[in-house]
Amino acid sequence: MKPARFEYFAPDGVLEAVSVLAQHAGEAKVIAGGQSLVPLLNMRLARPAALVDLNRIPELDYIREGAAGLSIGAMTRQRTVERSEPVRHRLPVLHEAVRNIAHPQIRNRGTVGGSLAHVDPSAELPAVALLLEARLTVVGPRAQRVLAADEFFLSFLTTSLEPDEVLTEVYLPALPPGAGWSFIEFTRRHGDFALAGATAVIALDSSGACNHARLAIFGVGARPLRSPGAEQMLTGERPVPALLEAAASAASQEIQDPIGDIHASPEFRRHLARTLTVRALAQAVERAADLGGRS
Ligand SMILES: Cc1cc2nc3c(=O)[nH]c(=O)nc-3n(C[C@H](O)[C@H](O)[C@H](O)COP(=O)(O)OP(=O)(O)OC[C@H]3O[C@@H](n4cnc5c(N)ncnc54)[C@H](O)[C@@H]3O)c2cc1C
């Protein structure tokens, strides 16, 4: 199938891109790696009057290491993140998440910003951004805004980006020292979108109690979900198996309205979320214990 007719713009700077978007008053769309947008265009599920191609804006392609985290430009390819040594060392959970996105051919083109702006419920990068409390920089015709991941991801394929705004950067804080992490998803075949997934970061104090607990679940709700109830249950406690089971039950019960489709019923997705959460928490605790905390 072929897309409906559209005008094509290839600006060489962010402000020019934003200006073209503003001129089209909601009728233009940004194209980054095209891995999600092109199929939508071809099936005519999206029919923008104009496409604003970000591929000629090199200033959006970088990974910068700071003292407390990494800044990644929106046009950085997923494959670049996968191969980045700073990502592997400072954010191993992101490294693992990216390796779970589709196949290398798709990661060669797909961008970090495209995945975050598209916010597919099963996508790996929005889940990690939520887990790590990422901050997203967005540029519009009048101002630049920095949004917490929780404010940026609204619902199914919906973010708080205005039609004339471009996502330019995501800042991901590094894991706390000695923290263990896990990223686990369930797919029917390697490279498929996940039916459900769980990702966690756990740090332990010298007595073996949990002093930092973060958990995000994806593929089950309209957007990735943090689980404040489960995180609270873990904080200050020794993460023994019974507690991990109880926290995972709490997390799965916090999912209001799990997705049901031809791939999995809502009940199965809730069940998967619980099972994967137990595994993710256990793996994160084990890694934290190996790194020096006691469990
Ligand atoms: C066969 C197949 C399997 C896939 N499997 C997975 C998977 O397992 N997990 C996964 O997460 N993804 C998967 N994807 C999607 C892929 O990872 C895409 O790369 C990603 O969802 C979108 O990134 P993109 O750069 O291609 O964005 P595009 O397709 O170019 O754009 C996607 C959307 O984001 C908007 N957008 C893009 N960049 C910006 C920006 N900087 N500012 C504002 N808006 C922007 C576009 O306007 C569009 O609405 C798969 C794709 C295919 C074709």
Side-chain angles (χ1 to χ4, degrees), residues 73-150:
M75 284 302 290
T76 309
R77 306 288 166 188
Q78 293 155 6
R79 192 78 163 148
T80 306
V81 173
E82 182 183 348
R83 290 176 165 168
S84 155
E85 278 307 310
V87 169
R88 192 196 288 266
H89 284 125
R90 307 275 308 275
L91 290 171
V93 67
L94 173 63
H95 177 254
E96 181 64 18
V98 170
R99 280 159 34 88
N100 278 276
I101 300 175
H103 304 280
Q105 292 84 348
I106 288 160
R107 301 198 291 271
N108 282 340
R109 290 299 303 164
T111 65
V112 169
S115 174
L116 296 171
H118 190 59
V119 67
D120 186 290
S122 292
E124 289 79 3
L125 295 185
V128 170
L130 192 69
L131 176 82
L132 297 177
E133 299 178 347
R135 294 196 291 280
L136 296 102
T137 304
V138 160
V139 174
R142 284 162 302 282
Q144 172 174 308
R145 306 190 284 154
V146 179
L147 300 168
D150 195 39

Side-chain angles (χ1 to χ4, degrees), residues 24-43:
H24 285 81
E27 296 299 319
K29 261 197 144 342
V30 159
I31 184 160
Q35 299 301 297
S36 296
L37 185 56
V38 169
L40 292 174
L41 295 173
N42 286 348
M43 288 184 275

Side-chain angles (χ1 to χ4, degrees), residues 20-28 163:
V20 178
L21 288 172
Q23 282 158 27
H24 285 81
E27 296 299 319

